[in-house]
Amino acid sequence: MNTNAQPPAPAPSSAPSPAPAPASSPAPASSPAPSRSSLPAPRVRVVVTALVAALAGAALLTAPDPASAARQDTAAATATTSGAPGARGGSVGGVRAVGAARGAPAGPGYYRGRAFDTCEAPSLAVMKAWRSSPYGAVGIYFGGRGRGCPVQRELSRDWVASVHAMGWRLLPLFVGSQAPCVISTAKRPFALGSSPWSQGTREAGEAVRAAGALGLDASSPLYLDIEAYRAGDARCAATTLSFVRAWSREVRRLGYVPGFYSSVETGVRDIEAQRRAGTKDLPAVMWFARWGRPALYTETVLDPQAWTPHARIHQYAGNVSEAYGGRRLLVDRNTMDAPVARVAPTADLKSPLSAP
């Protein structure tokens, strides 16, 4: 969450209703089987034999070609790896999903619309009330030593599965070590040390373990939160870049999609400069903070062709008080076209509609 104070933007005046779930088509009624007395006795065996042969022939005609099925499975299990990170036509993440072998979807799912993030995960009751809001996705601060709200009393595997079942899409945020010249005094105790690459690799493993414990499956994006730091400090920027690259490389190696959150004038500007220079191991998704009007595709710091398709989130307002369904939260507002978490199924989960 951006910690720089900004005047709150006005609350939205209207909220679209959530889309109704598609109705399932009724199963066609089966024809009653002929009774034994309806057929002449001598012909029963002949008719049954003919029916069995016909059904077997139909099955052979409709069965997929084994080679074709294998090719489709291979294609589904492997994400595209061509192109620079975030470049149009390239992959978002360039990741082979580690869960594909056990039947998990190959790539991340995407959401385009409005999202909010708040320091501590709200209760299930609040999340249900906020389904009347214009938001369809929520940022969750799931790990990292630099989190502003490290306790997270509500956040659990069941919470994740429950809000996902309500229709929410999830944006997992990891707030780990910060730039040595970070501006926020609250983040300075978490400044990077002298080994940013090894620190980034280690914290990436921590992020993946924490995500897995919450049921955030392989191919989910994990967004690294790097708060604003002192602009123009080349040594500080280089140290931070080393950490971000190591974190992104290890997250990608472990089968997740590395995302990156920061302010436009520091972290985002520096990462975009590295993208232009062809630097490897950069994040696959850009979540940029500039408070003002939404500018998902028109942010001047980013090349118009960069971090597309499905690879941008814009945080355009922060510390805004909003209420829906009688429940009030202090949130940051975002607009997005980007990956969202894949949630592993949870056995014996209570219905989210039963939340108080």
Side-chain angles (χ1 to χ4, degrees):
M1 178 179 290
N2 197 319
T3 56
N4 298 327
Q6 295 259 354
S13 56
S14 62
S17 301
S24 58
S25 300
S30 57
S31 302
S35 65
R36 187 177 296 269
S37 61
S38 66
L39 292 173
R43 297 178 55 192
V44 171
R45 184 172 298 174
V46 175
V47 172
V48 170
T49 303
L51 284 173
V52 170
L55 289 172
L60 289 172
L61 288 173
T62 58
D65 170 42
S68 174
R71 287 193 298 270
Q72 292 173 2
D73 290 345
T74 302
T78 310
T80 305
T81 56
S82 60
R88 183 178 296 277
S91 66
V92 178
V95 175
R96 178 180 175 86
V98 297
R102 61 178 185 270
Y110 304 103
Y111 173 75
R112 183 173 181 177
R114 294 182 63 180
F116 77 90
D117 61 273
T118 189
C119 190
E120 187 172 351
S123 69
L124 290 178
V126 171
M127 294 303 295
K128 186 168 74 170
W130 271 55
R131 287 305 292 153
S132 63
S133 76
Y135 300 106
V138 56
I140 53 171
Y141 291 85
F142 76 98
R145 68 190 190 107
R147 280 187 296 180
C149 297
V151 176
Q152 298 290 336
R153 293 165 294 184
E154 299 288 339
L155 190 58
S156 67
R157 190 182 184 96
D158 282 355
W159 184 94
V160 165
S162 293
V163 299
H164 190 261
M166 290 180 195
W168 289 103
R169 298 299 170 254
L170 304 178
L171 302 170
L173 282 148
F174 183 86
V175 192
S177 296
Q178 298 293 307
C181 56
V182 62
I183 294 171
S184 170
T185 55
K187 301 299 181 187
R188 288 175 188 170
F190 312 109
L192 284 162
S194 58
S195 303
W197 189 273
S198 61
Q199 208 165 342
T201 302
R202 183 172 65 252
E203 292 190 27
E206 177 188 335
V208 168
R209 287 190 296 274
L214 288 174
L216 304 175
D217 225 345
S219 293
S220 293
L222 305 180
Y223 293 94
L224 177 63
D225 183 325
I226 295 291
E227 294 294 321
Y229 52 88
R230 189 167 57 243
D233 188 327
R235 183 175 180 179
C236 176
T239 299
T240 307
L241 174 65
S242 180
F243 173 80
V244 172
R245 290 182 61 210
W247 191 92
S248 300
R249 179 174 181 166
E250 183 68 1
V251 164
R252 186 179 279 116
R253 188 186 72 82
L254 294 173
Y256 287 72
V257 177
F260 178 73
Y261 165 90
S262 193
S263 68
V264 162
E265 296 302 334
T266 52
V268 172
R269 185 182 294 276
D270 288 344
I271 292 293
E272 168 65 359
Q274 294 300 317
R275 186 200 64 80
R276 292 172 186 259
T279 302
K280 296 181 179 179
D281 299 320
L282 297 181
V285 191
M286 182 62 78
W287 188 339
F288 57 96
R290 186 196 290 278
W291 294 359
R293 296 177 61 84
L296 186 61
Y297 303 109
T298 57
E299 169 53 51
T300 56
V301 165
L302 299 175
D303 186 283
Q305 303 301 314
W307 313 106
T308 60
H310 311 305
R312 288 193 184 197
I313 306 175
H314 179 198
Q315 184 185 89
Y316 62 90
N319 301 329
V320 181
S321 179
E322 297 188 44
Y324 298 97
R327 304 296 185 123
R328 184 168 295 277
L329 292 174
L330 190 67
V331 304
D332 297 338
R333 294 172 174 169
N334 305 272
T335 183
M336 64 175 289
D337 179 7
V340 292
R342 289 198 178 277
V343 176
T346 299
D348 302 323
L349 182 68
K350 293 181 179 179
S351 168
L353 299 179
S354 65

